[in-house]
Amino acid sequence: MQLPEIDDLLARTHIVTLPLVTRFRGVDAREAAIIRGTHAWSEFSPFLEYGDTEAASWLRAAIEFGFDSTLRRRSDGDIWVNATVPAVAPSALDSVLARFDGCRTVKIKVAERGQSLADDVARVEGVRERLGADARLRIDANGGWTVDQAVDALRALSRSDLEYAEQPCCTTAELVQLRGRLSTEGIEVAIAADESIRKAEDPLEVARLGAADVVVVKMQPLGGIRRATDIVRAAGLPATVSSALDSSVGIAMGAQLVAALPAPRHDAGLGTASLLADDVVAEPLRPRAGRIPLTPVTVDEGALERLASPAARQEWWHDRIRRCHALLAAFG
Ligand SMILES: [Mg+2]
């Protein structure tokens, strides 16, 4: 892959701070670099605590999307996305679901610290009651259960007919063990791996060990559309594309990965622009009738100014981009 010169790259980069509707990962704002590529706007937004080696894959994805003239970018059609329900009480479900217009798939947070299985059951049943038998419900435990807890929880929750359970336990080894227990006990629920997949090798490992039925993939950590597509094909498992709470620019990149993947394609975790209180485009990619369009996004110059990060944060990001660019130049 051809890298742009670092000075050119930095001259095209805007560092922004995006306010969130609610706190997420303990923060109420998300910092991102928005890059005016030669072929498309792109985003570089690894979380602040990530080291350079990990962040370099994210930069690779941003450069491929923004600068690679041979990358196929679809501009027609749309993709389905899922609604996301945090660990709220059933009384809050109507207002949460109202943010996601027409979504036929809902991801529901379970195994929240300080809550009980009864809370999870009430939330999942509450969504099922509201959306009816045709809705696809998936749960996400973010690795919050032991194997024993997961067996008990999935026995109860699978009565609500789940599309899959995402990362019920923390480690890949536990997921393998859990799938064995579920099959012995006759509990029918598919398992998806999310946190188990952070690096390019991970989906192959998950597939090889039989740890999951579905892999959750994000295009920035996996190094771009081509690499992510190759990895999903090699893993041979159906994939759900998701975002890491990106701006609408990052969401648009994820949508192009969805369009590039082989079928069957699960509805994507790309409805998250609804969680941002402000965005860098005039028309944020929030779901309408359950979908977001594949048309290229146009970044709003006024928004880049309004959301510009303080000078010290810009400097921090520029240094990070320099270091990651040097890693890519040395190792590809
Ligand atoms: Mg997840």
Side-chain angles (χ1 to χ4, degrees), residues 118-129:
D119 295 320
D120 291 339
V121 170
R123 188 177 314 115
V124 172
E125 287 181 351
V127 175
R128 177 60 77 201
E129 274 163 28

Side-chain angles (χ1 to χ4, degrees), residues 14-20 28-34 276 278-280 303-304 306-310 313-314 317:
H14 301 261
I15 310 301
V16 294
T17 305
L18 307 166
L20 307 181
D28 49 23
R30 177 97 166 93
E31 292 180 347
I34 305 296
L276 299 176
D278 200 353
D279 205 332
V280 295
L304 292 177
R306 179 173 75 240
L307 298 166
S309 305
R313 297 306 302 155
Q314 303 213 17
W317 276 92

Side-chain angles (χ1 to χ4, degrees), residues 36 47-48 64 72 123 181 183 216 231 255 324:
R36 186 198 301 270
F47 291 100
L48 304 184
E64 178 199 63
R72 183 160 178 254
R123 188 177 314 115
R181 289 274 303 276
S183 122
V216 179
I231 289 162
C324 292

Side-chain angles (χ1 to χ4, degrees), residues 78-81 101-103 286-293:
D78 48 33
I79 59 150
W80 287 91
V81 298
D101 177 54
C103 288
R286 297 196 189 110
R288 285 211 193 124
R291 283 162 286 187
I292 59 171

Side-chain angles (χ1 to χ4, degrees), residues 240-319:
T240 295
V241 175
S242 175
S243 84
L245 197 58
D246 302 337
S247 81
S248 284
V249 173
I251 297 287
M253 292 161 68
Q256 292 294 330
L257 172 57
V258 177
L261 285 179
R265 298 192 288 237
H266 288 288
D267 292 356
L270 295 173
T272 51
S274 298
L275 304 177
L276 299 176
D278 200 353
D279 205 332
V280 295
V281 301
E283 278 194 53
L285 282 182
R286 297 196 189 110
R288 285 211 193 124
R291 283 162 286 187
I292 59 171
L294 287 166
T295 40
V297 294
T298 306
V299 168
D300 175 35
E301 302 284 344
L304 292 177
E305 265 174 52
R306 179 173 75 240
L307 298 166
S309 305
R313 297 306 302 155
Q314 303 213 17
E315 214 171 294
W316 186 91
W317 276 92
H318 282 200
D319 287 344

Side-chain angles (χ1 to χ4, degrees), residues 107 140 142 166-167 194-195 216 218:
K107 184 173 88 164
D140 191 351
N142 295 108
E166 192 169 313
Q167 203 75 38
D194 180 8
E195 282 86 346
V216 179
K218 302 185 175 84

